[in-house]
Amino acid sequence: MTGGTRRVEGTMIVQRRAVPAVLAAALLLTAGCSSGSSDGADPSGADGSTSPTSTAAQSSPAGSPAEQTPPAKGSVKVLRTVATGLKSPWGLAPLPGGDLIVSSRDEATLTRVDDKTGKKTELGEIPGVSPSGEGGLLGIALSPDYASDHMIYAYFTSASDNRIVRVLYDEKKPSGEQLGAPDTVFRGIPKGVIHNGGRIAFGPDKMLYAGTGESGDKGLSQDKESLGGKILRMTPDGEPAPGNPFPDSPVYSYGHRNVQGLAWDDKQRLFASEFGQDTWDELNAIKPGDNYGWPEAEGKGGGSGFHDPVAQWSTDEASPSGVAYAEGSVWMAGLGGERLWRIPLKGTETSAEPQAFLEGEYGRLRTVAPAGGDKLWLVTSNTDGRGDAKGDDDRILELEVK
């Protein structure tokens, strides 16, 4: 699209010159889309090797009950405020014992939050973070082997790119000094003042997934040799994951504008949220190798060759960041929309109209994460320079959802 303004995280700003992309020159990618069903399932087995059937099929053995359709109308109850006084929180990672690790975009710190008392303990700062615009210390995730290696993964904006590092968390060291030196796992993701993506998560296959943005340079989304405007899938060491759709490439899907939400349903199907520009925000069911249309298409009906979204919203209703799966629905946090969306699913289609909760009650909503069963963690985002911060912002809430 053209015009004198550009929408970023729910705000209209004067369009700026795109920051030059940092390309991964070593990547040699093969063009084209993978074939197969459109159920959005991960095509690899639990060990990341190529499987003759999807993990969705593997997780539903013969004789298992059919997928349950959630009720058309759901509910959300705020059980409590877990913590307050957080500054520019972005990523959230629940620890095995119940406490939470939260990242600060602008302060480049990781903080542990006691899930019972709300007490905050700073673990330390991630060196090399260069906060600017939408960039900084963004998504975090625990290693799939966290119980033995105590590694925390972090996606952040540096002076030259967006990258992923892992750091050792040593609880025995003094507060503020509990993080080891960062080990760079992956680098070369284009950075910009806007559209840095930033969500990372380990999938059911124990592979590392990352949602990236096109950094304001639209053409990168359709360029399979660029890491911008993609969902990436890699090993915990940062190598292209076995079974990826393009040989020797971490690119898993492309044609994205700015992906900040990743979540798997109970059949191991991946869903991702995406910021639109002026018309439609999206929730997508991700099929490996598929093209999600940006910048040629925004929302449904983009035409042949583009994967339509599961659901779409006008941009003033959503500006979606984090997503989580619980109780048969995807739950999507809205920044500009200042509400939590419930998208009830049957397979990879909506089973009823999406439903909004908490509209305007807590301001901008950044991250939503599973808290077990019918519980969710929800992180607000009012101290990021675009929200209307109140005295106790930002905060983490515990929700009960149906």
Side-chain angles (χ1 to χ4, degrees):
M1 293 194 176
T2 60
T5 60
R6 181 180 292 273
R7 176 177 165 273
V8 294
E9 293 196 356
T11 305
M12 298 298 294
I13 65 171
V14 176
Q15 186 165 350
R16 307 182 184 188
R17 184 181 300 276
V19 176
V22 179
L23 301 181
L27 291 175
L28 297 176
L29 305 175
T30 303
C33 294
S34 65
S35 61
S37 68
S38 58
D39 62 0
D42 185 336
S44 61
D47 62 353
S49 58
T50 302
S51 171
T53 57
S54 72
T55 53
Q58 292 173 347
S59 64
S60 303
S64 64
E67 288 192 46
Q68 298 298 309
T69 302
K73 296 295 183 181
S75 65
V76 169
K77 180 180 180 180
V78 179
L79 298 178
R80 62 192 174 109
T81 298
V82 179
T84 60
L86 298 166
K87 302 304 179 186
S88 61
W90 211 100
L92 186 77
L95 289 167
D99 287 357
L100 306 169
I101 304 293
V102 61
S103 62
S104 169
R105 186 195 69 184
D106 295 339
E107 297 182 351
T109 54
L110 295 181
T111 297
R112 180 169 181 158
V113 176
D114 188 303
D115 75 316
K116 302 294 192 298
T117 67
K119 178 184 177 182
K120 302 188 291 291
T121 302
E122 185 176 310
L123 309 188
E125 183 177 338
I126 302 290
V129 177
S130 180
S132 177
E134 293 176 7
L137 179 57
L138 305 177
I140 56 175
L142 301 185
S143 162
D145 298 316
Y146 180 83
S148 58
D149 66 22
H150 303 289
M151 287 289 184
I152 301 173
Y153 285 68
Y155 181 117
F156 70 82
T157 311
S158 75
S160 59
D161 63 1
N162 285 295
R163 60 183 60 187
I164 301 170
V165 301
R166 58 189 170 193
V167 294
L168 176 66
Y169 171 31
D170 187 349
E171 299 181 37
K172 297 178 181 179
K173 290 189 175 182
S175 174
E177 302 175 9
Q178 297 177 340
L179 300 180
D183 171 28
T184 300
V185 171
F186 194 84
R187 68 179 74 215
I189 301 168
K191 64 165 285 189
V193 175
I194 57 175
H195 304 175
N196 289 289
R199 194 70 62 180
I200 57 173
F202 281 95
D205 55 3
K206 297 187 177 181
M207 297 294 112
L208 178 60
Y209 292 73
T212 75
E214 30 80 311
S215 66
D217 184 349
K218 299 178 184 179
L220 299 185
S221 296
Q222 292 295 319
D223 180 359
K224 292 190 288 294
E225 294 188 4
S226 169
L227 301 173
K230 309 294 188 297
I231 293 176
L232 309 176
R233 176 175 177 263
M234 64 194 79
T235 69
D237 293 325
E239 298 298 323
N244 275 3
F246 307 112
D248 302 318
S249 169
V251 173
Y252 193 65
S253 61
Y254 67 107
H256 299 290
R257 185 171 183 263
N258 193 24
V259 175
Q260 289 189 4
L262 301 169
W264 288 262
D265 70 3
D266 55 2
K267 304 297 183 190
Q268 302 184 19
R269 292 174 293 223
L270 175 59
F271 293 84
S273 62
E274 182 165 343
F275 287 87
Q277 179 163 289
D278 299 316
T279 309
W280 298 116
D281 293 325
E282 302 176 355
L283 177 71
N284 288 297
I286 302 302
K287 181 182 175 185
D290 269 17
N291 182 350
Y292 288 80
W294 180 254
E296 279 75 20
E298 183 180 356
K300 296 181 179 180
S304 177
F306 298 141
H307 196 135
D308 273 356
V310 173
Q312 64 185 27
W313 296 262
S314 63
T315 54
D316 60 349
E317 293 181 315
S319 297
S321 190
V323 295
Y325 179 82
E327 299 296 295
S329 298
V330 169
W331 301 83
M332 187 178 80
L335 290 164
E338 297 189 354
R339 66 199 81 176
L340 179 69
W341 284 99
R342 172 185 183 257
I343 304 96
L345 297 173
K346 184 173 184 180
T348 56
E349 297 182 356
T350 56
S351 60
E353 287 296 314
Q355 187 179 4
F357 296 94
L358 308 179
E359 184 175 350
E361 293 185 34
Y362 295 96
R364 292 160 59 82
L365 305 180
R366 170 69 67 182
T367 293
V368 58
D374 61 355
K375 306 295 193 301
L376 294 173
W377 306 117
L378 181 65
V379 182
T380 67
S381 187
N382 297 310
T383 59
D384 66 347
R386 295 195 174 119
D388 181 16
K390 307 300 182 184
D392 55 355
D393 278 332
D394 270 308
R395 60 192 109 182
I396 301 173
L397 306 172
E398 183 183 18
L399 311 179
E400 179 182 78
V401 299
K402 299 294 185 184

